[in-house]
Amino acid sequence: MDDDLSRFCCQNPDCPDYGQRDHGNLTVCMRYGQHNRRLLYCKTCKARFSERKGTPLFDSRLPDDKAQAVLAHLADGCGVRQTSRLVGVNRNTVLRFGLQAGGHARQLHDELVAFSPHDAEGPTR
Protein backbone atom coordinates (compact mmCIF):
# COMPACT_ATOMS: atom_id res chain seq x y z
CA MET A 1 0.00 0.00 0.00
CA ASP A 2 0.95 3.61 -0.46
CA ASP A 3 2.44 5.30 2.63
CA ASP A 4 1.88 8.89 1.43
CA LEU A 5 0.71 10.64 4.58
CA SER A 6 0.42 14.18 3.16
CA ARG A 7 -3.38 14.25 3.41
CA PHE A 8 -3.46 13.16 7.07
CA CYS A 9 -3.17 15.20 10.26
CA CYS A 10 -3.00 14.46 13.97
CA GLN A 11 -6.46 13.73 15.40
CA ASN A 12 -5.55 14.62 19.01
CA PRO A 13 -7.11 18.04 19.82
CA ASP A 14 -4.49 18.60 22.54
CA CYS A 15 -1.58 18.23 20.09
CA PRO A 16 0.21 21.39 18.82
CA ASP A 17 0.13 19.81 15.32
CA TYR A 18 -3.61 19.00 15.47
CA GLY A 19 -5.30 19.49 12.09
CA GLN A 20 -2.10 20.41 10.22
CA ARG A 21 -1.75 18.27 7.10
CA ASP A 22 1.61 17.24 5.65
CA HIS A 23 3.45 18.52 8.72
CA GLY A 24 5.95 15.64 8.87
CA ASN A 25 4.84 14.52 12.33
CA LEU A 26 3.03 11.32 11.28
CA THR A 27 4.43 7.87 10.61
CA VAL A 28 2.87 4.44 10.06
CA CYS A 29 3.59 2.47 13.24
CA MET A 30 1.80 -0.71 12.16
CA ARG A 31 -0.93 -2.22 10.02
CA TYR A 32 -3.93 -3.99 11.46
CA GLY A 33 -7.14 -5.80 10.63
CA GLN A 34 -8.38 -7.88 7.76
CA HIS A 35 -8.02 -4.98 5.30
CA ASN A 36 -4.50 -4.01 6.42
CA ARG A 37 -5.42 -0.52 7.69
CA ARG A 38 -2.61 1.82 8.76
CA LEU A 39 -2.21 2.84 12.38
CA LEU A 40 -0.68 6.31 12.39
CA TYR A 41 1.62 7.69 15.08
CA CYS A 42 2.14 11.37 15.84
CA LYS A 43 5.75 12.09 16.82
CA THR A 44 4.69 15.34 18.50
CA CYS A 45 2.10 14.09 21.01
CA LYS A 46 2.77 10.32 20.82
CA ALA A 47 -0.89 9.58 19.93
CA ARG A 48 -1.85 6.64 17.75
CA PHE A 49 -4.98 6.54 15.60
CA SER A 50 -6.48 4.80 12.59
CA GLU A 51 -6.03 6.31 9.14
CA ARG A 52 -9.84 6.40 8.97
CA LYS A 53 -10.36 8.37 12.21
CA GLY A 54 -12.18 11.61 11.51
CA THR A 55 -13.79 10.24 8.32
CA PRO A 56 -17.23 8.74 7.64
CA LEU A 57 -15.49 5.39 7.12
CA PHE A 58 -14.12 5.21 10.68
CA ASP A 59 -15.00 1.94 12.46
CA SER A 60 -16.27 0.40 9.22
CA ARG A 61 -15.35 -3.17 8.49
CA LEU A 62 -16.30 -3.00 4.81
CA PRO A 63 -13.59 -3.20 2.16
CA ASP A 64 -12.70 0.21 0.71
CA ASP A 65 -14.36 -0.46 -2.64
CA LYS A 66 -17.72 -1.39 -1.06
CA ALA A 67 -17.66 1.54 1.38
CA GLN A 68 -16.89 3.98 -1.43
CA ALA A 69 -19.60 2.41 -3.60
CA VAL A 70 -22.19 2.93 -0.85
CA LEU A 71 -21.25 6.61 -0.55
CA ALA A 72 -21.16 7.07 -4.34
CA HIS A 73 -24.65 5.58 -4.80
CA LEU A 74 -26.05 7.75 -2.01
CA ALA A 75 -24.40 10.84 -3.53
CA ASP A 76 -25.98 9.96 -6.89
CA GLY A 77 -29.40 9.98 -5.26
CA CYS A 78 -30.03 6.24 -4.98
CA GLY A 79 -32.31 5.21 -2.14
CA VAL A 80 -31.23 3.12 0.83
CA ARG A 81 -32.80 -0.13 -0.41
CA GLN A 82 -31.54 0.34 -3.95
CA THR A 83 -28.01 1.07 -2.71
CA SER A 84 -28.21 -1.97 -0.44
CA ARG A 85 -29.10 -4.22 -3.40
CA LEU A 86 -26.55 -2.68 -5.79
CA VAL A 87 -23.60 -2.91 -3.39
CA GLY A 88 -24.64 -6.10 -1.62
CA VAL A 89 -24.70 -4.80 1.95
CA ASN A 90 -27.41 -4.63 4.61
CA ARG A 91 -29.69 -1.60 4.42
CA ASN A 92 -28.77 -0.69 8.01
CA THR A 93 -25.16 -0.39 6.83
CA VAL A 94 -26.29 2.03 4.12
CA LEU A 95 -28.27 4.04 6.68
CA ARG A 96 -25.28 4.22 9.05
CA PHE A 97 -22.93 5.35 6.28
CA GLY A 98 -25.42 7.97 5.10
CA LEU A 99 -25.83 9.40 8.60
CA GLN A 100 -22.08 9.42 9.25
CA ALA A 101 -21.28 11.03 5.89
CA GLY A 102 -24.04 13.63 6.39
CA GLY A 103 -22.75 14.59 9.81
CA HIS A 104 -19.20 14.75 8.49
CA ALA A 105 -20.28 16.96 5.57
CA ARG A 106 -22.21 19.28 7.90
CA GLN A 107 -19.19 19.65 10.20
CA LEU A 108 -16.88 20.35 7.26
CA HIS A 109 -19.33 22.87 5.80
CA ASP A 110 -19.62 24.74 9.10
CA GLU A 111 -15.83 24.78 9.45
CA LEU A 112 -15.30 26.11 5.92
CA VAL A 113 -18.04 28.73 6.21
CA ALA A 114 -16.46 30.03 9.42
CA PHE A 115 -13.24 30.76 7.48
CA SER A 116 -14.84 32.14 4.32
CA PRO A 117 -14.21 35.82 3.64
CA HIS A 118 -17.02 38.20 4.57
CA ASP A 119 -18.53 40.07 1.61
CA ALA A 120 -19.11 43.67 2.72
CA GLU A 121 -21.33 44.43 -0.29
CA GLY A 122 -23.78 41.64 0.45
CA PRO A 123 -25.06 39.03 -2.01
CA THR A 124 -24.82 39.72 -5.74
CA ARG A 125 -27.84 39.48 -7.97
Side-chain angles (χ1 to χ4, degrees), residues 77-90:
C78 292
V80 170
R81 290 181 183 177
Q82 182 182 19
T83 299
S84 173
R85 283 192 306 273
L86 291 170
V87 180
V89 297
N90 187 288

Side-chain angles (χ1 to χ4, degrees), residues 25-39:
N25 59 316
L26 298 179
T27 61
V28 177
C29 63
M30 67 179 277
R31 293 182 182 270
Y32 69 95
Q34 179 180 0
H35 302 293
N36 208 24
R37 307 261 184 257
R38 296 179 290 186
L39 189 67

Side-chain angles (χ1 to χ4, degrees), residues 1-16:
M1 266 193 179
D2 184 13
D3 277 345
D4 177 22
L5 301 176
S6 61
R7 56 192 190 120
F8 295 100
C9 60
C10 183
Q11 296 292 309
N12 177 7
D14 298 327
C15 179

Side-chain angles (χ1 to χ4, degrees), residues 4 7 16 32 45 50 52 65 116:
D4 177 22
R7 56 192 190 120
Y32 69 95
C45 69
S50 168
R52 284 186 163 186
D65 58 338
S116 64

Side-chain angles (χ1 to χ4, degrees), residues 36-51:
N36 208 24
R37 307 261 184 257
R38 296 179 290 186
L39 189 67
L40 304 180
Y41 173 77
C42 176
K43 294 185 260 185
T44 305
C45 69
K46 314 282 190 263
R48 295 184 309 169
F49 51 90
S50 168
E51 66 182 326

